[in-house]
């Protein structure tokens, strides 16, 4: 008989695949020891109009590993999963309600959560306030700092950070302020799960038609306009730049995988550009993981801005990857502590720029992270969350003093460096600190 319940919260199929690989590798113990619940969240701005992870091809293969599946959206309806958390006075009542609704009884509960610093993961951690927490990384954000300061009472319950080795040689910063250990999900286990997901799409006609076109390059859309980073027109132009870059590299058969929430006009504009460039373009909007395309189409190039799928293509499929537009997005992304900044920095520094390659030249396959990447990521991470990582200040000062130049300036903002009294800042640090002290003193005197 199971002696505990393990609840696995997911909002993406990629994250669910990561958990499935960890389960297969025995990283959550023997199945007979636990009752396992898959808690599915749809965090889209309007969940009723967007496909959740359970709507994607291959989801059923993941769900089969669990004893039951529960919808978090249905549980807390009419509240939105990303905007609701229990009041402090109500957490005990919420735990009782969930134990009753989910048939948990009084047995111990463990939680496997993504994005612990925000809801719904933070809400679940608060409700099950005595539970051990396991955090898993759904992509490149784990290499950056924790987005916000977590309560010490929550941080001390986190046992580990499970993550994929998407950038070999680079260690995640996520939750390192609590000295949480990191643990790799085995490569072979994750690759096997991706294979299962791809196999479940065998009967899809649109995918079969795309495969029949034998595309040699895949373009990945991210819909950055939804994040207010680019305008719709700018992102449309970004996709066209990807197409032109692939064409210059000799690719005449290209597949475009738009983001599920991208507008139809993206595909229309790209089709016109492809016709002008003499490229046969296939647009695939079937709800499936980009990794299924790598499995089924075996492309020789994957192009994107800073999508995690680019690194998955390189690490797990051995496909050369190239980036387009990271400089523009680095300039636009705000605020500075935006969690996408580290993924952007990694891809910009680590992945070849497609627009720097001439006709017929194929970008090299990224390998082990260069020695320059770790110090750069830690310096950017310090500038993002200096209060969480005061131990990194000396390294950040040294790096900026020695390495900040025209080629690295795009990773930093002068105002941010000035605010932190770091080399390269636009505002004298001492003066900024003095003004802050004066304001605090005036406020104290008023009281």
């Amino acid at each position: 008989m199971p002696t505990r319940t393990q609840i696995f919260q997911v909002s993406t199929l990629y994250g669910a695949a990561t958990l499935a690989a960890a389960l297969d590798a025995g990283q959550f113990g023997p199945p007979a020891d636990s009752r396992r619940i898959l808690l599915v969240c749809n965090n889209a701005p309007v969940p009723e109009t967007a496909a959740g992870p359970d709507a994607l091809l291959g989801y059923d293969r993941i769900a089969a590993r669990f004893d039951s599946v529960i919808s978090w959206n249905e549980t807390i309806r009419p509240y939105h999963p990303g905007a609701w958390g229990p009041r402090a006075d109500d957490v005990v009542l919420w735990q009782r309600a969930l134990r009753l609704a989910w048939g948990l009884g009084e047995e111990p509960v463990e939680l496997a959560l993504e994005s612990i610093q925000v809801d719904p993961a933070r809400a679940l951690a608060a409700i099950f306030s005595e539970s051990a927490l396991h955090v898993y990384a759904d992509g490149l954000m784990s290499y950056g700092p924790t987005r916000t300061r977590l309560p010490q009472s929550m941080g001390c319950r986190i046992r580990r950070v499970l993550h994929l080795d998407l950038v070999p040689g680079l260690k995640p910063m996520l939750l390192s302020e609590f000295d949480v250990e990191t643990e790799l999900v085995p490569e072979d286990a994750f690759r096997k799960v991706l294979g299962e997901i791809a196999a479940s799409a065998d009967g899809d006609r649109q995918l079969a038609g795309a495969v029949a076109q034998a595309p040699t390059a895949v373009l990945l859309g991210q819909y950055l306009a939804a994040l207010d980073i680019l305008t719709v027109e700018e992102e449309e132009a970004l996709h066209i730049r990807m197409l032109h870059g692939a064409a210059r590299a000799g690719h005449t058969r290209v597949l475009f995988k738009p983001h599920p929430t991208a507008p139809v006009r993206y595909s229309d504009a790209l089709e016109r550009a492809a016709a002008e460039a003499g490229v046969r373009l296939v647009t695939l909007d079937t709800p499936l993981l980009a990794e299924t395309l790598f499995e089924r189409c075996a492309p020789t190039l994957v192009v994107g801005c800073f999508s995690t799928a680019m690194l998955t293509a390189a690490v797990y499929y051995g496909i050369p990857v190239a980036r387009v537009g990271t400089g523009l997005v680095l300039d636009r992304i705000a605020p500075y502590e935006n969690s996408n900044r580290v993924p952007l920095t990694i891809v910009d520094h680590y992945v070849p720029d497609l627009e720097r390659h001439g006709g017929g030249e194929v970008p090299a396959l990224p390998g082990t992270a260069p020695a320059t990447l770790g110090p750069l990521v830690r310096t950017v991470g310090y500038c993002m969350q200096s209060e969480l990582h005061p131990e990194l200040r000396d390294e950040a000062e040294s790096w900026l003093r020695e390495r900040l130049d025209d080629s690295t300036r795009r990773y930093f903002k002068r105002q941010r460096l000035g605010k932190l009294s770091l080399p390269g800042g636009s505002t004298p640090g001492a003066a900024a600190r003095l003004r802050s002290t004066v304001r605090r003193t005036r406020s104290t005197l008023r009281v």
Side-chain angles (χ1 to χ4, degrees), residues 24-25 34 54 166 192 215 220 230 252 256 273 292 319 351 377 413:
D24 292 351
S34 305
D54 50 349
L166 293 171
K192 178 176 176 291
L220 300 173
L230 300 181
T252 57
F256 175 53
T292 296
I319 302 172
V351 174
V377 168
K413 298 294 183 183

Side-chain angles (χ1 to χ4, degrees), residues 43-384:
N43 296 335
V46 185
E48 294 79 8
T49 64
D54 50 349
L56 272 65
L57 296 176
Y59 163 79
D60 57 330
R61 301 292 183 97
I62 303 298
R65 289 170 166 83
F66 298 86
D67 298 302
S68 60
V69 177
I70 296 173
S71 167
W72 182 243
N73 293 60
E74 292 296 332
T75 299
I76 65 168
R77 187 179 296 276
Y79 300 107
H80 189 284
W84 177 85
R87 295 183 303 178
D89 293 341
D90 294 341
V91 292
V92 174
L93 294 176
W94 268 100
Q95 182 175 156
R96 289 176 183 171
L98 294 183
R99 282 184 176 274
L100 180 63
W102 297 347
L104 303 182
E106 298 299 323
E107 62 195 42
V109 170
E110 288 186 357
L111 300 175
L113 306 169
E114 61 176 346
S115 301
I116 183 65
Q117 62 272 28
V118 294
D119 295 321
R122 186 162 179 156
L124 286 161
I127 291 169
F128 293 95
S129 56
E130 72 284 356
S131 295
L133 308 177
H134 307 269
V135 174
Y136 70 94
D138 181 20
L140 296 172
M141 286 187 184
S142 64
Y143 293 108
T146 312
R147 191 181 312 177
T148 56
R149 183 185 294 275
L150 294 179
Q152 184 67 31
S153 58
M154 186 179 295
C156 67
R157 292 158 51 203
I158 301 172
R159 300 291 183 260
R160 57 185 170 167
V161 173
L162 285 158
H163 70 103
L164 300 168
D165 200 15
L166 293 171
V167 187
L170 186 63
K171 185 176 180 180
M173 285 183 68
L174 180 66
L175 297 169
S176 58
E177 67 271 24
F178 293 108
D179 294 323
V180 176
E181 292 295 323
T182 60
E183 185 175 330
L184 283 174
V185 176
E187 179 177 333
D188 56 346
F190 186 61
R191 185 67 171 76
K192 178 176 176 291
V193 172
L194 292 180
E196 287 183 35
I197 292 174
S200 71
D202 282 347
D204 185 79
R205 292 184 178 180
Q206 190 178 3
L207 176 62
V211 172
Q213 297 293 321
T216 60
V218 171
L219 313 183
L220 300 173
Q222 286 182 253
Y223 197 20
L224 301 174
L227 301 177
D228 293 324
I229 296 175
L230 300 181
T231 65
V232 171
E233 292 75 18
E234 287 171 332
E235 186 160 25
E236 187 176 84
L238 182 62
H239 295 154
I240 293 173
R241 287 169 59 188
M242 293 180 186
L243 176 77
H244 288 163
R248 285 194 299 271
H251 296 272
T252 57
R253 299 186 305 279
V254 174
L255 188 150
F256 175 53
K257 175 69 171 65
H259 190 277
T261 57
V264 174
R265 61 174 287 183
Y266 281 4
S267 300
D268 294 342
L270 204 58
E271 287 173 2
R272 291 193 296 270
E276 294 171 0
V279 172
R280 183 189 302 167
L281 176 71
V282 178
T283 299
L284 185 63
D285 56 8
T286 298
L288 49 73
L289 281 182
E291 287 73 16
T292 296
L293 301 178
F294 309 155
E295 187 96 25
R296 286 287 171 262
C297 300
T300 57
L301 176 66
V302 172
V303 183
C305 186
F306 65 101
S307 170
T308 295
M310 298 166 63
L311 278 302
T312 312
V315 172
Y316 294 97
Y317 292 90
I319 302 172
V321 296
R323 60 180 170 86
V324 172
T326 50
L328 172 63
V329 180
L330 277 167
D331 181 61
R332 296 292 182 80
I333 192 171
Y336 191 84
E337 56 269 28
N338 189 308
S339 295
N340 286 303
R341 187 171 298 280
V342 164
L344 258 172
T345 299
I346 290 172
V347 172
D348 184 86
H349 189 79
Y350 179 56
V351 174
D353 183 348
L354 182 62
E355 294 177 311
R356 290 185 182 178
H357 290 266
E361 186 179 359
V362 179
L365 184 69
T368 301
T372 54
L373 182 58
L376 170 61
V377 168
R378 289 191 294 273
T379 301
V380 171
Y382 173 77
C383 293
M384 291 172 65

Side-chain angles (χ1 to χ4, degrees), residues 173 378-379 381-382 389-397:
M173 285 183 68
R378 289 191 294 273
T379 301
Y382 173 77
H389 296 282
E391 76 283 358
L392 294 179
R393 182 172 181 88
D394 289 346
E395 181 182 11
E397 286 184 339

